[in-house]
Amino acid sequence: MVTARPLRRADLLVVAKSFSPDGLRRACALRFPLRPHGVCGPAKPRCNEVISIARTAPPRHPAASRGLPALLLMLLAWTFALPALAEDGYDLWLRYKPLPEAQARQYREFGAELVAPVQTPTQQAARDELVRGLGGLLGREPAQAAAVRRNGALVVGTPASVPQLAALQGDLEGLGEEGYLIREARIDGRKATVVAANSDVGALYGSFHLLRLVQSGEPLAGVDVRESPRVKLRVLNHWDNLDRYVERGYAGESIWDWHKLPDWLDPRYTDYARANASIGINGTVLNNVNTSAQALTPLYLEKTAALASVFRAYGIKVYLSARFSAPIEIGGLATADPLDPAVRQWWKDKADEIYRTIPDFGGFLVKANSEGQPGPQDYGRNHADGANMLAEALAPHGGIVMWRAFVYSHEEPDDRAKQAYTEFVPHDGVFADNVLVQVKNGAIDFQPREPFHPLFGAMPKTPLMMEFQIT
């Protein structure tokens, strides 16, 4: 169970939003000849049409055609030269491009062989990343071994998975399940560099850290790194709908291809997990906070389970945005009142169903009584009533509720900047231990300049988590 006290100072939610093509809509309005696929604009001709532009060309001088072959050859050569220069950004910071030879030669002394077990999916992910990364950066993959046999070995794992790391057991105390050490050591009298942790996930994080050191040219001689995350929940929240439309989606359609899941697992899902694990992200909310209750049906739970099966090896749990009125819309009940016994039982049964399908499911994110979304106030209840009902259903499984404090409605007379303060502060200390109140950085809506949210510091008895936007 997630308790309030350890979460009080150390929880964070990152809201990642791929934004809708408003800029492209403006391009449509200008009637550009080519319309981007799937983008609509107010002006005719319609999007996706190719517009013929008729022009009256001036008479050509006979000499104009003589330079045409040379011009075509130049254009052809330029076109074929482009791929060699292309960088599409897909690999992000995990490019692993070859280092200069002199630099690569120095690092090879610390990677003469790789000792990294592959008995679990996470161990396999760490080993594969090191082989990929060192092979790309140093020009050749390290030899792999079951135990240290020579100087210059790189040893990655836990005292349980690599018995030769048992001497570091005491040094690993206090690092928790996600911390790690990177240091020089002597193993059976041989010089080695070790990435040691208390868990496979910690060893994976340490492997990414080691690769960052090599990428950035940091010396490995005398390396001594001790890292442990201070923030327990590091979560991305996608504003992706089940039809693949992304709310405010400037970056195109959703990465989640729900229609092809669970049978087709796009390789991009693995690369997504790699990139997130490399910076310590350990959770992802797959769907928009303005959600559909369909996300909680067996059909979509099976699809969510398929994504969880990819992310699990990288230490990433999946979460779902839950629609508060789901008991009515997919459960056949007449009410979603959080104090109604039938409603409470419905959520308990739904939680049991989810955890049978996804044993390590993280929990729910909820937007309630804000911008027209249903919530407990529809039944004369408060936010604590609604959040605690869901928390009760998730608690036996170790799940959490992230209850958003971004609330405003035209029916409420309060100034929008203080409405969340008015609605939440009276319930400080009333929320269940596995509820976190998710608060935006400011009270309005991701404004570039505004004071920090008044809820911060006003609810000392309630775990708060900050929500901010990346684009």
Side-chain angles (χ1 to χ4, degrees):
M1 177 180 292
V2 179
T3 60
R5 188 163 301 278
L7 294 174
R8 184 166 297 151
R9 298 181 180 177
D11 287 286
L12 165 69
L13 177 71
V14 178
V15 175
K17 298 191 289 188
S18 302
F19 290 108
S20 62
D22 288 340
L24 293 178
R25 288 194 179 94
R26 290 193 293 271
C28 277
L30 294 175
R31 303 191 179 190
F32 284 176
L34 295 177
R35 302 304 188 189
H37 176 70
V39 179
C40 295
K44 294 185 178 181
R46 295 190 306 275
C47 296
N48 301 323
E49 292 181 340
V50 177
I51 305 172
S52 299
I53 300 179
R55 294 180 180 176
T56 303
R60 287 194 303 166
H61 191 280
S65 62
R66 289 200 289 268
L68 186 58
L71 178 60
L72 289 175
L73 286 174
M74 290 174 60
L75 290 173
L76 190 63
W78 179 68
T79 300
F80 279 102
L82 281 179
L85 303 175
E87 172 58 80
D88 61 9
Y90 179 86
D91 291 328
L92 302 175
W93 46 87
L94 304 178
R95 290 181 179 87
Y96 304 138
K97 299 301 183 185
L99 296 174
E101 177 56 28
Q103 193 176 21
R105 191 181 309 116
Q106 295 176 3
Y107 284 117
R108 290 189 195 116
E109 297 177 6
F110 299 91
E113 66 180 4
L114 175 61
V115 179
V118 290
Q119 298 169 351
T120 69
T122 302
Q123 291 174 6
Q124 181 80 50
R127 198 283 306 269
D128 289 351
E129 197 68 35
L130 287 166
V131 170
R132 179 202 300 253
L134 295 176
L137 293 164
L138 307 185
R140 64 172 182 242
E141 295 179 0
Q144 297 180 47
V148 177
R149 301 172 303 184
R150 52 178 154 166
N151 288 326
L154 173 59
V155 186
V156 180
T158 69
S161 65
V162 182
Q164 289 176 306
L165 295 178
L168 294 175
Q169 186 74 59
D171 295 334
L172 292 171
E173 292 182 3
L175 288 178
E177 290 299 300
E178 296 179 307
Y180 54 86
L181 299 175
I182 304 176
R183 64 172 54 166
E184 282 190 318
R186 282 201 170 268
I187 297 179
D188 295 338
R190 299 179 176 92
K191 292 178 61 176
T193 302
V194 301
V195 178
N198 290 313
S199 71
D200 291 344
V201 170
L204 175 66
Y205 290 162
S207 298
F208 278 115
H209 192 139
L210 178 80
L211 289 170
R212 286 197 299 273
L213 295 176
V214 177
Q215 283 178 297
S216 55
E218 295 292 327
L220 294 185
V223 64
D224 189 5
V225 173
R226 181 182 176 89
E227 291 282 348
S228 181
R230 294 186 178 182
V231 177
K232 186 171 183 178
L233 297 177
R234 306 173 300 275
V235 181
L236 288 174
N237 172 204
H238 290 263
W239 281 16
D240 297 21
N241 295 317
L242 302 183
D243 61 2
R244 301 194 75 186
Y245 173 76
V246 180
E247 189 159 328
R248 305 182 186 177
Y250 300 141
E253 66 181 2
S254 170
I255 187 176
W256 319 129
D257 195 339
W258 294 104
H259 297 297
K260 294 181 180 178
L261 286 165
D263 301 316
W264 166 245
L265 293 175
D266 193 317
R268 292 190 301 167
Y269 302 155
T270 300
D271 290 334
Y272 168 91
R274 289 175 54 232
N276 282 318
S278 74
I279 57 173
I281 297 296
N282 64 1
T284 181
V285 184
L286 300 175
N287 56 328
N288 187 5
V289 291
N290 300 318
T291 186
S292 164
Q294 291 299 313
L296 299 179
T297 60
L299 175 66
Y300 278 94
L301 292 179
E302 185 181 4
K303 297 172 185 287
T304 298
L307 291 173
S309 70
V310 176
F311 302 156
R312 189 171 292 117
Y314 293 89
I316 299 172
K317 290 185 177 182
V318 296
Y319 299 76
L320 288 173
S321 293
R323 185 166 172 84
F324 196 81
S325 55
I328 299 172
E329 295 167 6
I330 62 172
L333 300 185
T335 180
D337 184 347
L339 299 189
D340 186 292
V343 174
R344 301 178 80 88
Q345 187 60 50
W346 186 90
W347 281 108
K348 290 177 182 178
D349 293 342
K350 178 57 64 175
D352 292 344
E353 176 190 355
I354 292 173
Y355 281 94
R356 285 194 300 269
T357 308
I358 312 166
D360 57 349
F361 180 69
F364 293 141
L365 171 65
V366 183
K367 176 179 179 179
N369 291 121
S370 177
E371 299 181 317
Q373 292 297 309
Q377 291 176 347
D378 299 344
Y379 306 94
R381 316 303 184 187
N382 58 55
H383 291 289
D385 293 330
N388 290 346
M389 173 193 66
L390 296 176
E392 180 184 43
L394 294 173
H397 308 282
I400 65 169
V401 176
M402 297 172 285
W403 191 271
R404 297 180 89 235
F406 178 64
V407 293
Y408 73 90
S409 62
H410 298 298
E411 292 76 23
E412 294 295 328
D414 272 344
D415 185 282
R416 177 172 167 183
K418 70 173 186 176
Q419 185 171 341
Y421 186 97
T422 302
E423 293 187 13
F424 280 86
V425 170
H427 307 296
D428 184 29
V430 178
F431 289 93
D433 288 347
N434 58 328
V435 173
L436 298 98
V437 175
Q438 177 186 317
V439 184
K440 287 190 178 183
N441 61 288
I444 305 302
D445 192 2
F446 296 130
Q447 300 301 302
R449 295 181 181 88
E450 63 174 318
F452 70 89
H453 204 292
L455 282 181
F456 291 120
M459 300 183 69
K461 300 176 183 178
T462 303
L464 301 183
M465 57 196 306
M466 179 180 284
E467 170 185 342
F468 59 94
Q469 173 180 273
I470 58 176
T471 61

